[in-house]
Amino acid sequence: PSYRTPLSQLSATAPEDDGPVQWELFKKHHAKGSWKGVWTSFDYIGDVIDETVASVDLDYDAPTESIQQTHRLAMGATVADCSTCFDSMEFKSFPVQRYMPTQLHKTRLGSIGMINGPSLLRSGAMATELVLALPESLEGERRRVRVAFQHAPVWRAGVEPGSGPPDGLKLFRTMVSRESLGDVPPTRETETNAKIKLYRGVPPFRWHAEWAGTSWTWGPTTGNRGWSLDKMDEADAWHGRPTGDSPNVWNLRLPGGILLQAPRIINGGETSLFRLAWLPTEECLLRMEAGVLAFQPVEDQGNDVVAFYPPSLASMRCDILQKVGELEEQEERLRQLAGESDVLKPRSDEELSNVMP
């Protein structure tokens, strides 16, 4: 990435310090109690297929130095019930995970961001979760955005599913949850007086500006590193290209200044990028990127056996950026984006067929 210089206060973290750093970030930004939200699921074409009023409870217990994750689902509740659902509805609780300083499972943290996965589900699907919490400078109210992508095995046309190893993993479901530590989940109705509105309309041109700030990166060999980002070049400003840089990018832009990008199909052989960008205010841009290795074949199995390595996290990056100016071509961009909706669904396969070679 261009225009980055190491931050002196965040120089590269020694491998032996990684565990304590991860644990402190977990407690500081996420293990704060009950994150209430509406879990909204979208299908491959970007349509809503399900909504669930629920919470992710991340409770830190000092005596045992542990964090318990529990999911609570409101039974029979609808979004219209959100102003009272956590007081009046029946809930079902599902213990999910218990974390310890030396046992974070498949969770990795960087700055305000968190990645869970990639993980294989019992169904054979792969789940990858990205989470962004508000930085301390905006913590008048605790809020975060959580996104979970699910990819399922897929076979080439004409091949009977299950008759042999799959040819790849295809995105089939994406869940988005706007979450708060308040008494009620954020909705258009309940966030009327909120400082950070997670359902507000954000004109598309707001994404296009000069941004500067800090960046946290991690890789298996490089470890944790901090960077200052004084200027961002066009190649790095992926948030300004909502449909991505290739036909294999699935995208979804939603009210509240939320942009998602993920691979449509994972074929293996290269790192697949999962991205979440969030404009909590017009002056602040938060970004999260996870590089995932999946569908990597294991060689030399013999006996015509085909096996794959478990999916793994290859890289992560988390940016906290502030608006420092306007782009030189801003007036022209305003004209181009005038009247465009803040909601942008993924392109259809038919549309993609017209742009693919």
Side-chain angles (χ1 to χ4, degrees):
S2 59
Y3 299 106
R4 293 199 308 191
T5 55
L7 285 174
S8 57
Q9 67 267 33
L10 268 186
S11 57
T13 302
E16 61 269 21
D17 295 330
D18 183 59
V21 168
Q22 293 291 293
W23 188 246
E24 290 305 313
L25 290 173
F26 201 168
K27 292 193 297 181
K28 180 178 181 179
H29 297 295
H30 299 278
K32 294 294 183 180
S34 182
W35 292 99
K36 301 176 181 66
V38 178
W39 301 1
T40 304
S41 294
F42 299 85
D43 60 16
Y44 182 73
I45 62 174
D47 289 342
V48 175
I49 55 176
D50 183 58
E51 287 190 314
T52 302
V53 179
S55 70
V56 176
D57 296 357
L58 291 169
D59 298 313
Y60 170 64
D61 183 63
T64 61
E65 192 61 17
S66 64
I67 297 170
Q68 176 64 46
Q69 179 178 346
T70 304
H71 291 177
R72 293 193 302 144
L73 278 60
M75 307 309 296
T78 65
V79 176
D81 302 320
C82 280
S83 59
T84 60
C85 60
F86 276 83
D87 295 326
S88 59
M89 292 289 180
E90 177 186 352
F91 280 80
K92 277 193 175 181
S93 296
F94 302 91
V96 176
Q97 199 74 268
R98 190 172 188 84
Y99 302 93
M100 309 285 284
T102 58
Q103 193 174 17
L104 287 175
H105 306 287
K106 301 205 74 172
T107 297
R108 171 149 290 275
L109 300 103
S111 183
I112 58 172
M114 179 166 67
I115 298 172
N116 290 310
S119 303
L120 289 178
L121 307 179
R122 292 181 180 178
S123 63
M126 183 187 80
T128 309
E129 182 180 86
L130 277 62
V131 189
L132 278 171
L134 286 178
E136 290 181 330
S137 59
L138 295 176
E139 279 185 355
E141 48 202 37
R142 290 277 191 170
R143 300 203 157 198
R144 68 177 195 170
V145 174
R146 184 170 60 91
V147 180
F149 301 98
Q150 292 188 15
H151 287 73
V154 65
W155 286 260
R156 291 193 305 267
V159 176
E160 180 69 23
S163 61
D167 296 296
L169 299 170
K170 182 175 181 179
L171 182 71
F172 74 98
R173 186 183 183 99
T174 302
M175 189 282 297
V176 179
S177 180
R178 303 164 172 91
E179 299 178 343
S180 169
L181 289 178
D183 296 329
V184 296
T187 66
R188 294 183 187 276
E189 292 73 26
T190 63
E191 69 171 10
T192 304
N193 298 320
K195 178 182 177 182
I196 305 297
K197 292 182 169 58
L198 293 167
Y199 286 87
R200 78 191 193 286
V202 176
F205 69 85
R206 294 294 184 192
W207 294 93
H208 301 275
E210 289 282 5
W211 301 98
T214 60
S215 180
W216 180 302
T217 64
W218 172 86
T221 58
T222 59
N224 299 303
R225 291 188 177 184
W227 311 80
S228 64
L229 185 59
D230 301 321
K231 184 179 180 181
M232 182 181 295
D233 67 2
E234 185 175 354
D236 197 20
W238 54 263
H239 57 271
R241 302 184 298 277
T243 58
D245 296 321
S246 82
N248 193 40
V249 175
W250 183 92
N251 68 275
L252 187 64
R253 190 173 64 200
L254 299 169
I258 298 170
L259 172 65
L260 320 178
Q261 292 182 357
R264 293 173 179 267
I265 296 179
I266 298 173
N267 290 311
E270 61 182 10
T271 301
S272 299
L273 296 180
F274 294 71
R275 289 166 166 169
L276 164 63
W278 178 21
L279 282 170
T281 72
E282 295 178 359
E283 304 297 322
C284 178
L285 171 62
L286 310 177
R287 305 195 311 176
M288 187 78 174
E289 178 182 278
V292 169
L293 285 173
F295 211 67
Q296 304 291 312
V298 178
E299 298 180 358
D300 299 327
Q301 287 295 291
N303 301 321
D304 296 325
V305 175
V306 178
F308 300 93
Y309 288 106
S312 62
L313 185 65
S315 65
M316 77 168 294
R317 174 176 170 177
C318 183
D319 301 331
I320 302 177
L321 307 172
Q322 299 293 324
K323 182 178 177 181
V324 294
E326 302 290 351
L327 297 174
E328 294 180 0
E329 68 277 13
Q330 189 71 353
E331 290 188 7
E332 175 62 26
R333 199 177 298 271
L334 287 175
R335 286 193 292 268
Q336 294 174 353
L337 297 175
E340 184 177 319
S341 171
D342 61 339
V343 176
L344 182 63
K345 289 188 175 184
R347 289 178 290 181
S348 67
D349 289 340
E350 181 179 353
E351 291 173 308
L352 290 172
S353 66
N354 296 326
V355 299
M356 294 179 69

